[in-house]
Structure formats: structure tokens, C-alpha cells
Amino acid sequence: MRPSKRDELVEKALLVFYRHGFHATGMDRLVAETGISKTSMYKHFSTKEDLILAALALRDKQFRRWLFRRMEQLGSTPRGQLIAMFDSLKEWFAQEGFQGCMFIKAAAEYQKSADPIHMKSAEHKSILISCFSDIAKRAGAADPDTLACRLMLLKEGAIVAAQFGITKNPAMDAKAAAKILLADALGQ
Amino acid sequence: MRPSKRDELVEKALLVFYRHGFHATGMDRLVAETGISKTSMYKHFSTKEDLILAALALRDKQFRRWLFRRMEQLGSTPRGQLIAMFDSLKEWFAQEGFQGCMFIKAAAEYQKSADPIHMKSAEHKSILISCFSDIAKRAGAADPDTLACRLMLLKEGAIVAAQFGITKNPAMDAKAAAKILLADALGQ
DNA sequence: GGCATACTGTACTGATCTGTTAACATAAGG
DNA sequence: CCTTATGTTAACAGATCAGTACAGTATGCC
């Protein structure tokens, strides 16, 4: 089967991009850090942008799978799962290589809203919002979209705060705030 | 007085960095877009990093002056000012060239926490938090630091959401959430 | 054996990167 | 008039950028 080498490339490239940034990562560095020849890279992806898009697609899949699985493990009810999101975030922030959100960083480096990389990043956030909205609906929210938006604000804020390291425990700050917003939206 | 040319350089460089990003902006582009010779640039700032740091310092000053002035104009009480922050943000997001937060983008491109650019960006966020805390204290919050943290989460989340353009009105979503959090922290 | 596939290694192109250097212009102050 | 400061244009150095070209290797299938 052919997927192995290509998938290996995308996985390793994802780590390198995450650690060093997009513009700051040259193809030669990718060759050095992935151990995959430049020829192979350009056989699988004809431009650096294509490789970045593939890395973002993988990250989107990885992150969503991880987050929603963890939320289900930590929360037994829809409401509990929404709160558990912030416990999950706390675990993420505590991971050794944590350096913020891949998509925020991608959008920061590729700013034009028409840029494919920017669009891919925005798409990830949109998907998350609609997933949150689904859970909010199951939790009985009268206006699940609004609740999802508010939780998203806390989540993105917590990620940014964690990236800067300006507050001690942004995930738990966000969790406390989320509980208040959930009480307002769902009662008690 | 000698400040003119140097200040002009920093002001113009700030705009170019904001629009195009840091790594993506070469010194030649700065020459072209600022009209200032490369020789002069390197007389005032011996490295690109120094210039970026000066631009960030200016942005920090500009942004804080603008935000707190606007909050005072729009809110008559400390509590009203904290709410007015989100009306101010709405105005910012609606500005023509809005492309997210300069400091989030800087931290995204210079990720290492020991990097001077990263530190300068984190410093800006720290200053804002402590200012929010001061206002929260004047508003009568029992735990002004916690309230400031929560409002900061909403603010950063709103900026990220606005940068992605994934929700229609992130500033007003954040404002609604802030009112709930303020009611919780300050009563009614 | 013959052939295709998938990969590696290396050298290269032309552009662009940060930063330097040299020759020159302008104006103020002694 | 000379000096000094501040600016300009322009070419340059050495590194690195994305991407290409070409020669060679390993595997497996017919």
C-alpha cells in the first residue's frame, strides 16, 4: 500500500510546522527533520502550500477526534461534556510541546481571507462551533448557536492566554466562566 | 528635532508588518512601502528584530491609549467601562484594515517564550489584564483578578473569532457573555 | 531478465532574504 | 568655508528560499 510514506511526511511536517512556524520552515529543514527526500515531497505535493494544507487537514482530524472523545469520556451529559471541554483543554495546555493553536497561527501567517490556508483554518473553527451547537441543543439550550458562540469565545481566549502564558490557569478560568454561562443558558 | 524620520519609519513599518506579517515582510518591501532608505533603517535599528520590537512598542501604546479612552467615553461607571470594552472592540473589528491582533500574530510567528518578540507581545497582554483588574476593583469586584481574567478570555476569543470571520458579531456575543459574568461577579 | 514504482541524494536555478558598503546630497552651525 | 549629521541611491555579500533536474537505488511483479 502506498499511503505510508505520504502519511509519514504529512505527520512529520505537521510537527515541524507547529514547532517552528510556516514561513520559518524551509523545505530543506523539512528534508532534514523528516528524513524524506525533497524529490519525494514534491512528488506527493507540488507546492509547499499543498503540503501545509494537508498538514492542516490532518491536524483538524486529529484535534477534533481527540477533543470530542475526551469530552465524552469526561462528561456523561451534554452539559457535562461542554464543561469537560475545558478540562480537556487543560490537559492539552499541559502537554510538553504545547505551543498554541495550529490554526490561529496559520491564519496569523496567511492573513488574507481568500488564502486557501486561511480558509482551511477558518473551516476548522466553523466545524467546531457547529459541533458545540449540536451538543448545546442536546443539552436543552433555547439558543444553541449563541451558547456555542460564547463557549467558543472562552475556548479561543483560553488557547491564546495559554500560548502567552500570562495567566496561571486559563483553562480553569474559562471553565468557571463557562459554568456561569451554562447556568444562564440552561437554568441553575 | 530628530524623532520625525525614525518615528515615521516605525509607524509605517507597523502598518506593513500588520498587513503582511513579519517573516513575509522583507526589508526591501519596507523600503518600497515606507519610502525610507535601507541605510537609514539600519542606522536607527541595527536588526529587523529591533524594528519589530519598536513597532510592537508603538502598537502597544497606540492600542492601550485608544481602548481605554474609548472605554471611558462609552462607559460612565467602572462596570459600564468594562462592558463598553466590547463596544470598542466592535468598532475596531469594523475598521477597514482590521486583520486581528498584532500581538497574537507576533507570538504566532515568534513562538519561543524566550524570544524578545514573544515576550514583548506577552507583556502587552499582561498590562491589559492588570488594567482590567484595576477597573474591576473599582467596580467593586470581590476578586478583581479573576474577573479580569474572564473578561480577557472573552476579549481574546472575540478577536480570534473576528479574525476568522466565523461568527457574525463576535464583539456583541462577547458583550452579552460579559454582562452575565459581571452580574455574577458584582451582583444583579 | 525486463519493467515499473517509489524512493534517495545532490547539484542546480533564479529569486529573495538580512545586512553592508561606498559615493553622494542636503542643510545647519561654527 | 568647513564640519557634522542625516539622509539618499545603488550595488553588493552570503545565506536561504521554493522548486527542478538528473542520476542512481531498492523492491516487487510479470
Side-chain angles (χ1 to χ4, degrees):
Chain A
M1 275 206 149
R2 83 295 210 171
S4 68
K5 210 64 177 180
R6 181 193 157 110
D7 292 357
E8 183 192 340
L9 166 59
V10 177
E11 278 171 33
K12 290 185 173 174
L14 171 58
L15 291 177
V16 181
F17 283 133
Y18 183 66
R19 260 194 271 277
H20 304 300
F22 299 94
H23 283 102
T25 300
M27 298 305 279
D28 290 334
R29 176 174 223 163
L30 282 176
V31 170
E33 295 207 28
T34 66
I36 292 166
S37 70
K38 202 187 273 196
T39 317
S40 290
M41 287 184 186
Y42 277 97
K43 193 150 286 179
H44 290 301
F45 302 99
S46 58
T47 65
K48 184 185 182 184
E49 180 179 289
D50 285 350
L51 177 56
I52 293 176
L53 288 171
L56 290 179
L58 173 62
R59 179 67 189 155
D60 171 56
K61 209 175 68 177
Q62 276 182 354
F63 184 79
R64 280 182 14 232
R65 182 187 317 212
W66 169 80
L67 179 62
F68 291 110
R69 185 166 299 175
R70 202 77 192 99
M71 284 165 64
E72 282 171 20
Q73 287 167 349
L74 294 174
S76 50
T77 62
R79 179 189 192 138
Q81 287 173 14
L82 290 175
I83 292 173
M85 170 165 65
F86 298 95
D87 295 302
S88 309
L89 288 181
K90 181 180 181 180
E91 292 175 8
W92 178 31
F93 298 164
Q95 278 172 25
E96 192 178 300
F98 174 78
Q99 265 184 314
C101 169
M102 186 97 190
F103 301 97
I104 292 177
K105 296 194 288 189
E109 291 205 45
Y110 301 89
Q111 307 190 49
K112 284 178 290 186
S113 56
D115 188 298
I117 295 175
H118 188 103
M119 289 171 67
K120 191 96 192 165
S121 302
E123 187 191 346
H124 167 81
K125 299 292 183 190
S126 288
I127 294 174
L128 285 187
I129 277 210
S130 70
C131 293
F132 295 161
S133 183
D134 286 346
I135 303 176
K137 185 181 286 181
R138 278 188 276 127
D143 187 347
D145 284 345
T146 294
L147 180 56
C149 274
R150 292 177 185 174
L151 294 176
M152 177 62 120
L153 292 178
L154 290 176
K155 168 184 168 285
E156 301 304 326
I159 294 173
V160 169
Q163 182 180 357
F164 280 114
I166 44 175
T167 58
K168 279 177 294 186
N169 203 335
M172 291 304 97
D173 289 336
K175 181 180 178 180
K179 281 182 177 171
I180 296 166
L181 297 183
L182 282 166
D184 173 82
L186 306 176
Q188 57 170 316
Chain B
M1 273 203 145
R2 84 303 210 159
S4 69
K5 210 64 178 181
R6 180 192 158 111
D7 291 357
E8 182 191 342
L9 166 61
V10 177
E11 279 173 33
K12 290 185 173 175
L14 171 57
L15 291 177
V16 179
F17 283 134
Y18 183 67
R19 259 194 270 278
H20 304 296
F22 299 95
H23 284 101
T25 300
M27 298 305 279
D28 289 335
R29 176 175 223 162
L30 282 176
V31 171
E33 294 207 27
T34 65
I36 292 165
S37 71
K38 202 188 276 194
T39 320
S40 289
M41 287 183 186
Y42 278 97
K43 193 151 287 179
H44 289 301
F45 302 100
S46 58
T47 64
K48 184 186 181 182
E49 180 179 290
D50 285 350
L51 177 54
I52 293 175
L53 288 170
L56 290 178
L58 173 61
R59 178 67 188 155
D60 171 56
K61 210 175 69 177
Q62 276 181 356
F63 183 81
R64 280 179 16 232
R65 182 189 316 212
W66 168 80
L67 179 63
F68 291 110
R69 185 164 299 174
R70 201 79 191 98
M71 285 165 64
E72 282 170 19
Q73 287 167 349
L74 294 174
S76 50
T77 63
R79 179 190 192 138
Q81 287 172 13
L82 289 174
I83 292 174
M85 171 166 63
F86 298 95
D87 295 302
S88 309
L89 288 180
K90 182 181 181 181
E91 293 175 6
W92 178 31
F93 298 165
Q95 278 171 26
E96 191 178 302
F98 174 78
Q99 264 182 315
C101 169
M102 186 97 189
F103 302 96
I104 293 177
K105 296 194 288 189
E109 291 204 45
Y110 301 89
Q111 307 189 51
K112 282 179 293 187
S113 56
D115 187 299
I117 294 175
H118 187 104
M119 291 171 66
K120 191 95 193 167
S121 302
E123 188 192 346
H124 167 81
K125 300 291 184 190
S126 288
I127 294 173
L128 284 187
I129 279 211
S130 72
C131 292
F132 295 161
S133 182
D134 286 346
I135 302 176
K137 183 180 288 179
R138 277 188 274 128
D143 187 347
D145 283 345
T146 294
L147 180 56
C149 275
R150 292 177 185 174
L151 294 176
M152 177 63 121
L153 293 177
L154 291 175
K155 168 185 167 284
E156 301 304 324
I159 293 173
V160 169
Q163 182 179 358
F164 279 114
I166 43 176
T167 56
K168 278 177 295 184
N169 203 335
M172 290 304 97
D173 289 336
K175 182 180 179 179
K179 281 183 177 172
I180 297 167
L181 297 182
L182 282 166
D184 175 82
L186 305 177
Q188 55 168 318

